């Protein structure tokens, strides 16, 4: 059921890699873009300082079809790290990196484990249960709230559907009114978060960002945009990565059993699960500011360049037998978190969340297995991401 491509895009990526590293593609929005598929080409593109992220670089041809967020929200919520270039990107990124250092994340592991256990405690004694609605949709946001200092009374009011505004719809799309309602709801929520932190400052990331704004180190638009990015990018990708990892393990029951029986494998297994099926299938737009050559392909200035992280992570020239889930794979220099100056600042947090989530579910839910046929999995219709909003599973905890 659902889109066959989303169910398994890897045969198509294999054919594209064999044909060359760069391909012209047409997105559902009508945007014509250039897709990078091979590992070496992807690694180089992610670190290519000729390719900028700021939307101002996009040409009129791109802008006419790109369903970017409407004004004034685009100017108010889209000037975050993902859409900035140095030196502005460098200045803004330094405000968030301290909150996500590996050392700080390690200190938070006991609290993350408590949150994971509490969610599993609330699951039915026996399956089937939806591992998204019962666990994966909540765990990453609960952890994020702890990391950034989002108060509990505000955290419980966050609407997960607000995250869908990162996939805006065009002005004539019948879904436009609902999209704009979500957008306004999220913007109001961010304003409430800022007001709360201004009135009740604490030693946390959100408070530090508000202070930086009040001291003139961040503009109001930069502040709102960074909170927007934290709330959306800090949750949904991890939710989706938990689902892609579980699906991969359900499809490889011997590997699932091995991981359940030997939790010491978790750190390396998580790296392989990230490589095998990344929740970030494609990167966001990049642009040349002048006509340029991209691995032998001429790309006009302002055309969008997209990197396929999933295609790069299955490149046999980098990963032997790449379609095999090998929990012992090492080295494993996957690109699931990107590369270069836009490498995900929350990578250490995501790794810890995935290790704790998978370890908790596998050890506390004996016999964990998919409760529907594999072909019944409904993959989300997102262009850039992979995952599912429902993952019914059986287990034998109550027996």
């Amino acid at each position: 059921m659902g889109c066959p491509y989303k169910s398994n895009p890897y045969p198509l990526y294999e054919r594209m890699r064999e044909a060359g590293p760069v391909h012209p593609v047409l997105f559902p929005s009508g945007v014509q873009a250039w897709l990078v598929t091979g590992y070496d080409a992807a690694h180089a593109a992610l670190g290519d300082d000729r390719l900028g992220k700021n939307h101002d670089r996009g040409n009129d041809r791109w802008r006419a079809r790109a369903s970017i967020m409407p004004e004034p929200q685009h100017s108010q919520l889209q000037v975050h790290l993902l859409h900035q270039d140095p030196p502005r990107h460098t200045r803004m990124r330094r405000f968030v990196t301290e909150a996500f250092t590996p050392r700080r994340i390690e200190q938070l592991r006991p609290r993350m484990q408590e949150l994971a256990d509490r969610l599993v405690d609330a699951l039915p004694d026996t399956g089937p249960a939806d591992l998204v609605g019962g666990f994966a949709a909540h765990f990453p946001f609960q952890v994020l709230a702890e990391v950034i200092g989002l108060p509990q009374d505000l955290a419980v009011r966050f609407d997960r559907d607000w995250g869908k505004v990162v996939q805006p719809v065009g002005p004539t799309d019948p879904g436009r009114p609902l999209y704009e309602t979500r957008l306004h709801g999220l913007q109001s929520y961010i304003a409430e978060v800022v007001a709360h932190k201004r009135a009740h400052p604490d030693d946390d990331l959100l408070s530090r960002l508000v202070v930086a704004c009040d001291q003139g180190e961040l503009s109001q638009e930069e502040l709102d945009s960074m909170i927007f990015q934290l709330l959306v990018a800090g949750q949904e990708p991890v939710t989706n990565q938990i689902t892609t990892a579980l699906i991969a393990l359900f499809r490889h029951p011997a590997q699932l059993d091995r991981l359940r029986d030997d939790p010491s494998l978790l750190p390396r297994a998580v790296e392989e699960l990230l490589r095998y099926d990344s929740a970030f299938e494609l990167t966001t737009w990049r642009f040349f500011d002048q006509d340029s050559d991209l691995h032998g392909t001429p790309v006009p200035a302002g055309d969008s360049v997209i990197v396929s992280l999933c295609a790069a992570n299955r490149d046999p020239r980098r990963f032997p037998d790449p379609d095999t889930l090998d929990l012992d794979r090492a080295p494993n220099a996957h690109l699931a978190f990107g590369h270069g100056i836009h490498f995900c600042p929350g990578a250490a947090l995501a790794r810890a969340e995935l290790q704790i989530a998978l370890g908790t579910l596998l050890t506390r839910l004996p016999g964990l297995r998919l409760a529907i046929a594999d072909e019944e999995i409904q993959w989300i219709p997102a262009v850039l991401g992979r995952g599912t909003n429902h993952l019914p599973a059986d287990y034998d905890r109550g027996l």
Side-chain angles (χ1 to χ4, degrees):
M1 299 176 68
C3 174
Y5 162 77
K6 292 305 293 188
S7 175
N8 183 15
Y10 294 102
L12 174 60
Y13 285 145
E14 181 180 8
R15 295 194 298 271
M16 295 177 81
R17 280 194 311 265
E18 291 174 351
V22 181
H23 309 268
V25 293
L26 180 66
F27 282 90
S29 63
V31 168
Q32 294 182 342
W34 302 91
L35 187 68
V36 181
T37 55
Y39 182 93
D40 289 343
H43 190 272
L46 293 171
D48 192 335
D49 58 12
R50 299 176 302 160
L51 283 164
K53 300 274 284 183
N54 195 303
H55 287 179
D56 291 343
R57 284 173 165 247
N59 56 31
D60 291 342
R61 185 170 57 254
W62 170 78
R63 197 168 300 279
R65 294 289 186 176
S67 295
I68 58 177
M69 192 176 288
E71 294 295 354
Q73 285 79 21
H74 184 266
S75 298
Q76 295 168 346
L77 296 179
Q78 292 288 277
V79 291
H80 50 67
L81 295 174
L82 206 55
H83 296 160
Q84 298 305 323
D85 303 316
R88 192 180 190 185
H89 173 269
T90 308
R91 172 177 61 81
M92 293 170 63
R93 187 178 172 105
R94 67 181 174 85
F95 287 106
V96 303
T97 51
E98 181 183 346
F100 298 103
T101 61
R103 179 180 179 183
R104 178 152 191 265
I105 300 309
E106 286 302 309
Q107 294 171 343
L108 288 169
R109 272 184 179 265
R111 177 57 178 157
M112 290 189 230
Q113 187 62 62
E114 288 179 15
L115 294 171
D117 283 329
R118 185 183 302 168
L119 287 168
V120 172
D121 287 342
L123 292 174
D125 284 342
T126 57
D130 179 11
L131 296 184
V132 178
F135 185 90
H138 305 288
F139 177 62
F141 191 76
Q142 291 179 4
V143 171
L144 178 71
E146 297 270 341
V147 173
I148 67 177
L150 184 65
Q152 177 66 16
D153 59 334
L154 281 170
V156 297
R157 288 173 38 219
F158 183 84
D159 185 346
R160 186 185 171 209
D161 279 346
W162 287 336
K164 295 177 181 177
V165 300
V166 297
Q167 296 179 328
V169 296
T172 61
D173 191 293
R176 181 74 167 198
L178 177 59
Y179 166 74
E180 292 188 350
T181 297
R182 288 169 173 161
L183 183 56
H184 293 145
L186 178 55
Q187 194 169 26
S188 297
Y189 181 84
I190 291 170
E192 196 172 349
V193 170
V194 171
H196 180 93
K197 284 298 175 181
R198 188 164 279 135
H200 307 281
D202 206 340
D203 182 23
D204 55 52
L205 176 56
L206 289 175
S207 296
R208 287 193 291 273
L209 291 175
V210 171
V211 168
C213 178
D214 292 346
Q215 294 179 345
E217 299 175 77
L218 288 174
S219 70
Q220 184 66 49
E221 292 76 20
E222 288 172 339
L223 171 64
D224 292 349
S225 294
M226 291 175 75
I227 295 175
F228 169 86
Q229 185 182 16
L230 287 168
L231 293 175
V232 176
Q235 177 207 11
E236 202 67 15
V238 182
T239 293
N240 290 335
Q241 191 67 63
I242 293 172
T243 69
T244 61
L246 286 169
I247 290 169
L249 291 170
F250 290 151
R251 290 172 172 173
H252 299 82
Q255 301 279 42
L256 185 154
D257 290 343
R258 184 179 174 220
L259 188 57
R260 181 200 59 223
D261 295 339
D262 186 2
S264 69
L265 293 173
L266 274 166
R268 185 174 291 181
V270 161
E271 298 307 308
E272 174 66 351
L273 290 162
L274 283 161
R275 180 203 69 84
Y276 186 78
D277 201 7
S278 172
F280 271 119
E281 184 174 348
L282 308 175
T283 65
T284 53
W285 295 305
R286 284 169 164 79
F287 311 92
F288 289 114
D289 61 5
Q290 57 186 318
D291 294 351
S292 301
D293 176 90
L294 185 63
H295 303 288
T297 298
V299 176
D303 271 15
S304 58
V305 175
I306 308 286
V307 177
S308 173
L309 303 177
C310 282
N313 285 337
R314 294 279 191 107
D315 190 336
R317 289 163 294 190
R318 180 69 187 192
F319 302 100
D321 200 10
D323 295 325
T324 296
L325 182 67
D326 179 5
L327 302 188
D328 296 312
R329 189 182 298 274
N332 194 344
H334 62 76
L335 298 177
F337 294 116
H339 169 69
I341 65 170
H342 289 285
F343 180 83
C344 176
L349 175 61
R351 285 181 161 113
E353 290 177 284
L354 289 165
Q355 292 169 18
I356 290 169
L358 295 175
T360 304
L361 291 170
L362 295 184
T363 56
R364 295 203 50 202
L365 300 177
L368 188 64
R369 59 198 180 274
L370 194 60
I372 57 175
D374 188 282
E375 58 270 18
E376 292 181 55
I377 296 172
Q378 294 282 339
W379 293 86
I380 57 174
V383 174
L384 302 183
R386 290 182 55 69
T388 180
N389 286 324
H390 302 284
L391 191 61
D394 276 319
Y395 46 88
D396 310 314
R397 181 171 63 176
L399 300 182

